[in-house]
Amino acid sequence: MSAAGPSAKRLDGAHVEPWRLSHGQAAAVMIVVTLLWSIAGVVTRQLEAARSFEVTFWRSFFNACCMVVVMLAWRGRGLFLSLRKGGWGLWVSGVMWSVMYTCFMVALTLTTVANVLVTMALGPLITALLARLTLGARLPLRTWWAIAVAGAGIAWMYGQEFSSGDARHLLGTLVALGVPLAAAVNWTVIQRASHRTSGAGQDMLPAVLIGAVLSAAATLPLALPFHASGRDLGWLATLGVFQLAVPCLLAVQVARILPAAEVALLGLLEVVFGVAWAWLGAHEAPSVHVVGGGALVLGALAFNEWLGLRRPALRPDLS
């Protein structure tokens, strides 16, 4: 398996063959990605002393360390060439990763997990609209219906949790809005860069490293003085490597194959998996409306993917 992007080159100038998956395989990998993303809540509950911006800093720091090791192993000196000549798309994607990393954790310190997750559920609709406006992507009717049903399911799951009139919760919800907005821009930029018609697509994997470095740098001053225990650092390293670095690298590869709106739609599984992790790992049994809403989300995703395997979605015209 080669993790090199479609435009990656060896130092001798030869092109590295891109990692190609079928539509069904890419969807399966994206499900694994959301499963890994979803462990953030249950792992964070195991922390003893680290809080707020310190959690965000250490998570991004360990993510960056892992990315440096992995990318140097894969690319060697080619990594620095990719960073230097990546162009605007690579750096826009890097900034969007940074916004997603930071806004998610900061929002959790200001409002409830439910408010954050409901806000993130706007991602597929925002992504679909942005891809339609900027890429001319033609979305099948099944995807629009799946977005609507999945969004309704998540609203049902957490609608009763919304706070009314609390300024702190309102601020947290506004911060959380940065996650779906940044994700929509990110998936669209990645898809645009990976399907350019003028030669090989752009290598977007280093953007994950850029995002981790920017997030760590932005939150470091706010994280001081550190309070994390040794046990906390172990959990935060787990988050940085297995909840961010590994799944984000996989997500970049998947975004080269699946339409941007479908990537965002599958990303909603993070919400359902997050509830399951909290139930199993933190003994928080979901309520009836959480179970009902989760069933709607899973049903919409399963039906959309089943139809997608029978009749692949149309590719956007990027000429």
Side-chain angles (χ1 to χ4, degrees), residues 96 99-100 119-120 122-123 126-127 130 174-188:
M96 292 304 103
V99 171
M100 292 160 66
T119 304
M120 288 173 59
L122 296 172
I126 296 173
T127 302
L130 185 61
L174 291 175
V175 172
L177 186 60
V179 179
L181 287 172
V185 174
N186 198 21
W187 301 137
T188 304

mmCIF file of all heavy atoms in Angstrom, residues 96 99-100 119-120 122-123 126-127 130 174-188:
data_model
loop_
_atom_site.group_PDB
_atom_site.id
_atom_site.type_symbol
_atom_site.label_atom_id
_atom_site.label_comp_id
_atom_site.label_asym_id
_atom_site.label_seq_id
_atom_site.Cartn_x
_atom_site.Cartn_y
_atom_site.Cartn_z
ATOM 1 N N MET A 96 -7.425 24.652 7.324
ATOM 2 C CA MET A 96 -8.743 24.088 7.648
ATOM 3 C C MET A 96 -8.619 22.934 8.648
ATOM 4 O O MET A 96 -9.436 22.810 9.568
ATOM 5 C CB MET A 96 -9.437 23.606 6.380
ATOM 6 C CG MET A 96 -9.847 24.708 5.412
ATOM 7 S SD MET A 96 -10.922 25.969 6.153
ATOM 8 C CE MET A 96 -9.749 27.316 6.404
ATOM 9 N N VAL A 99 -8.183 24.565 12.017
ATOM 10 C CA VAL A 99 -9.447 25.103 12.537
ATOM 11 C C VAL A 99 -10.312 23.979 13.087
ATOM 12 O O VAL A 99 -10.905 24.097 14.166
ATOM 13 C CB VAL A 99 -10.192 25.867 11.426
ATOM 14 C CG1 VAL A 99 -11.599 26.242 11.883
ATOM 15 C CG2 VAL A 99 -9.417 27.116 11.031
ATOM 16 N N MET A 100 -10.382 22.856 12.368
ATOM 17 C CA MET A 100 -11.197 21.725 12.816
ATOM 18 C C MET A 100 -10.669 21.164 14.136
ATOM 19 O O MET A 100 -11.437 20.906 15.071
ATOM 20 C CB MET A 100 -11.223 20.648 11.740
ATOM 21 C CG MET A 100 -11.974 21.050 10.484
ATOM 22 S SD MET A 100 -11.535 20.064 9.036
ATOM 23 C CE MET A 100 -12.158 18.444 9.516
ATOM 24 N N THR A 119 -24.261 20.825 15.914
ATOM 25 C CA THR A 119 -23.703 21.831 15.006
ATOM 26 C C THR A 119 -22.875 21.177 13.911
ATOM 27 O O THR A 119 -22.942 21.566 12.732
ATOM 28 C CB THR A 119 -22.846 22.834 15.796
ATOM 29 O OG1 THR A 119 -23.633 23.412 16.841
ATOM 30 C CG2 THR A 119 -22.333 23.945 14.895
ATOM 31 N N MET A 120 -22.086 20.168 14.278
ATOM 32 C CA MET A 120 -21.272 19.459 13.293
ATOM 33 C C MET A 120 -22.127 18.726 12.261
ATOM 34 O O MET A 120 -21.680 18.468 11.146
ATOM 35 C CB MET A 120 -20.344 18.472 14.002
ATOM 36 C CG MET A 120 -19.210 19.130 14.762
ATOM 37 S SD MET A 120 -18.260 17.954 15.761
ATOM 38 C CE MET A 120 -17.683 16.816 14.508
ATOM 39 N N LEU A 122 -24.324 19.855 10.531
ATOM 40 C CA LEU A 122 -24.547 20.710 9.373
ATOM 41 C C LEU A 122 -23.520 20.459 8.275
ATOM 42 O O LEU A 122 -23.686 20.938 7.147
ATOM 43 C CB LEU A 122 -24.481 22.187 9.787
ATOM 44 C CG LEU A 122 -25.551 22.678 10.765
ATOM 45 C CD1 LEU A 122 -25.218 24.097 11.223
ATOM 46 C CD2 LEU A 122 -26.917 22.629 10.111
ATOM 47 N N GLY A 123 -22.457 19.708 8.584
ATOM 48 C CA GLY A 123 -21.359 19.505 7.645
ATOM 49 C C GLY A 123 -21.750 19.008 6.265
ATOM 50 O O GLY A 123 -21.350 19.587 5.248
ATOM 51 N N ILE A 126 -23.533 21.768 4.191
ATOM 52 C CA ILE A 126 -22.616 22.840 3.816
ATOM 53 C C ILE A 126 -21.644 22.356 2.750
ATOM 54 O O ILE A 126 -21.354 23.050 1.770
ATOM 55 C CB ILE A 126 -21.838 23.348 5.053
ATOM 56 C CG1 ILE A 126 -22.809 23.966 6.069
ATOM 57 C CG2 ILE A 126 -20.782 24.373 4.647
ATOM 58 C CD1 ILE A 126 -22.159 24.344 7.382
ATOM 59 N N THR A 127 -21.136 21.126 2.909
ATOM 60 C CA THR A 127 -20.203 20.569 1.935
ATOM 61 C C THR A 127 -20.861 20.383 0.579
ATOM 62 O O THR A 127 -20.283 20.709 -0.466
ATOM 63 C CB THR A 127 -19.656 19.218 2.430
ATOM 64 O OG1 THR A 127 -19.020 19.409 3.689
ATOM 65 C CG2 THR A 127 -18.646 18.643 1.446
ATOM 66 N N LEU A 130 -21.349 23.798 -1.041
ATOM 67 C CA LEU A 130 -20.080 24.391 -1.460
ATOM 68 C C LEU A 130 -19.520 23.670 -2.685
ATOM 69 O O LEU A 130 -19.023 24.308 -3.621
ATOM 70 C CB LEU A 130 -19.067 24.338 -0.313
ATOM 71 C CG LEU A 130 -17.729 25.043 -0.566
ATOM 72 C CD1 LEU A 130 -17.947 26.525 -0.830
ATOM 73 C CD2 LEU A 130 -16.797 24.861 0.628
ATOM 74 N N LEU A 174 -21.286 28.671 18.428
ATOM 75 C CA LEU A 174 -20.691 29.430 17.329
ATOM 76 C C LEU A 174 -19.275 28.940 17.030
ATOM 77 O O LEU A 174 -18.873 28.852 15.860
ATOM 78 C CB LEU A 174 -20.682 30.920 17.674
ATOM 79 C CG LEU A 174 -22.051 31.599 17.728
ATOM 80 C CD1 LEU A 174 -21.913 33.047 18.200
ATOM 81 C CD2 LEU A 174 -22.729 31.539 16.357
ATOM 82 N N VAL A 175 -18.500 28.632 18.081
ATOM 83 C CA VAL A 175 -17.158 28.090 17.868
ATOM 84 C C VAL A 175 -17.249 26.736 17.168
ATOM 85 O O VAL A 175 -16.484 26.440 16.236
ATOM 86 C CB VAL A 175 -16.410 27.959 19.208
ATOM 87 C CG1 VAL A 175 -15.092 27.203 19.020
ATOM 88 C CG2 VAL A 175 -16.133 29.336 19.800
ATOM 89 N N ALA A 176 -18.204 25.911 17.591
ATOM 90 C CA ALA A 176 -18.371 24.592 16.976
ATOM 91 C C ALA A 176 -18.736 24.700 15.504
ATOM 92 O O ALA A 176 -18.422 23.807 14.708
ATOM 93 C CB ALA A 176 -19.447 23.806 17.717
ATOM 94 N N LEU A 177 -19.398 25.785 15.123
ATOM 95 C CA LEU A 177 -19.756 25.977 13.720
ATOM 96 C C LEU A 177 -18.518 26.039 12.829
ATOM 97 O O LEU A 177 -18.588 25.741 11.630
ATOM 98 C CB LEU A 177 -20.580 27.260 13.567
ATOM 99 C CG LEU A 177 -21.167 27.554 12.189
ATOM 100 C CD1 LEU A 177 -22.105 26.436 11.747
ATOM 101 C CD2 LEU A 177 -21.894 28.901 12.201
ATOM 102 N N GLY A 178 -17.376 26.400 13.429
ATOM 103 C CA GLY A 178 -16.135 26.412 12.659
ATOM 104 C C GLY A 178 -15.743 25.038 12.140
ATOM 105 O O GLY A 178 -15.055 24.921 11.117
ATOM 106 N N VAL A 179 -16.175 23.966 12.822
ATOM 107 C CA VAL A 179 -15.810 22.610 12.394
ATOM 108 C C VAL A 179 -16.461 22.239 11.066
ATOM 109 O O VAL A 179 -15.763 21.882 10.108
ATOM 110 C CB VAL A 179 -16.146 21.572 13.483
ATOM 111 C CG1 VAL A 179 -15.793 20.169 13.009
ATOM 112 C CG2 VAL A 179 -15.400 21.897 14.775
ATOM 113 N N PRO A 180 -17.810 22.302 10.923
ATOM 114 C CA PRO A 180 -18.391 21.947 9.628
ATOM 115 C C PRO A 180 -18.036 22.918 8.509
ATOM 116 O O PRO A 180 -17.908 22.507 7.349
ATOM 117 C CB PRO A 180 -19.902 21.934 9.903
ATOM 118 C CG PRO A 180 -20.092 22.797 11.092
ATOM 119 C CD PRO A 180 -18.864 22.584 11.929
ATOM 120 N N LEU A 181 -17.864 24.199 8.845
ATOM 121 C CA LEU A 181 -17.467 25.161 7.812
ATOM 122 C C LEU A 181 -16.067 24.838 7.277
ATOM 123 O O LEU A 181 -15.841 24.815 6.065
ATOM 124 C CB LEU A 181 -17.505 26.583 8.373
ATOM 125 C CG LEU A 181 -18.899 27.178 8.612
ATOM 126 C CD1 LEU A 181 -18.786 28.507 9.349
ATOM 127 C CD2 LEU A 181 -19.633 27.360 7.289
ATOM 128 N N ALA A 182 -15.127 24.598 8.206
ATOM 129 C CA ALA A 182 -13.764 24.258 7.796
ATOM 130 C C ALA A 182 -13.726 22.914 7.073
ATOM 131 O O ALA A 182 -12.996 22.744 6.088
ATOM 132 C CB ALA A 182 -12.838 24.234 9.008
ATOM 133 N N ALA A 183 -14.518 21.953 7.545
ATOM 134 C CA ALA A 183 -14.553 20.640 6.898
ATOM 135 C C ALA A 183 -15.074 20.745 5.479
ATOM 136 O O ALA A 183 -14.563 20.083 4.562
ATOM 137 C CB ALA A 183 -15.412 19.681 7.718
ATOM 138 N N ALA A 184 -16.109 21.561 5.270
ATOM 139 C CA ALA A 184 -16.667 21.725 3.930
ATOM 140 C C ALA A 184 -15.628 22.298 2.968
ATOM 141 O O ALA A 184 -15.465 21.818 1.838
ATOM 142 C CB ALA A 184 -17.896 22.631 3.987
ATOM 143 N N VAL A 185 -14.920 23.327 3.424
ATOM 144 C CA VAL A 185 -13.863 23.912 2.584
ATOM 145 C C VAL A 185 -12.761 22.887 2.339
ATOM 146 O O VAL A 185 -12.269 22.731 1.208
ATOM 147 C CB VAL A 185 -13.281 25.170 3.254
ATOM 148 C CG1 VAL A 185 -12.080 25.700 2.464
ATOM 149 C CG2 VAL A 185 -14.350 26.256 3.382
ATOM 150 N N ASN A 186 -12.397 22.141 3.378
ATOM 151 C CA ASN A 186 -11.294 21.188 3.280
ATOM 152 C C ASN A 186 -11.598 20.084 2.275
ATOM 153 O O ASN A 186 -10.799 19.803 1.376
ATOM 154 C CB ASN A 186 -11.019 20.586 4.654
ATOM 155 C CG ASN A 186 -9.652 19.946 4.747
ATOM 156 O OD1 ASN A 186 -8.752 20.256 3.957
ATOM 157 N ND2 ASN A 186 -9.474 19.046 5.678
ATOM 158 N N TRP A 187 -12.764 19.417 2.420
ATOM 159 C CA TRP A 187 -13.084 18.322 1.498
ATOM 160 C C TRP A 187 -13.187 18.825 0.065
ATOM 161 O O TRP A 187 -12.783 18.134 -0.882
ATOM 162 C CB TRP A 187 -14.398 17.647 1.894
ATOM 163 C CG TRP A 187 -14.447 17.062 3.270
ATOM 164 C CD1 TRP A 187 -15.474 17.149 4.155
ATOM 165 C CD2 TRP A 187 -13.430 16.283 3.937
ATOM 166 N NE1 TRP A 187 -15.171 16.499 5.319
ATOM 167 C CE2 TRP A 187 -13.922 15.957 5.221
ATOM 168 C CE3 TRP A 187 -12.151 15.855 3.581
ATOM 169 C CZ2 TRP A 187 -13.189 15.212 6.137
ATOM 170 C CZ3 TRP A 187 -11.421 15.113 4.504
ATOM 171 C CH2 TRP A 187 -11.929 14.803 5.745
ATOM 172 N N THR A 188 -13.705 20.042 -0.121
ATOM 173 C CA THR A 188 -13.851 20.591 -1.468
ATOM 174 C C THR A 188 -12.492 20.904 -2.082
ATOM 175 O O THR A 188 -12.235 20.599 -3.250
ATOM 176 C CB THR A 188 -14.726 21.860 -1.431
ATOM 177 O OG1 THR A 188 -15.997 21.550 -0.830
ATOM 178 C CG2 THR A 188 -14.963 22.381 -2.834
#
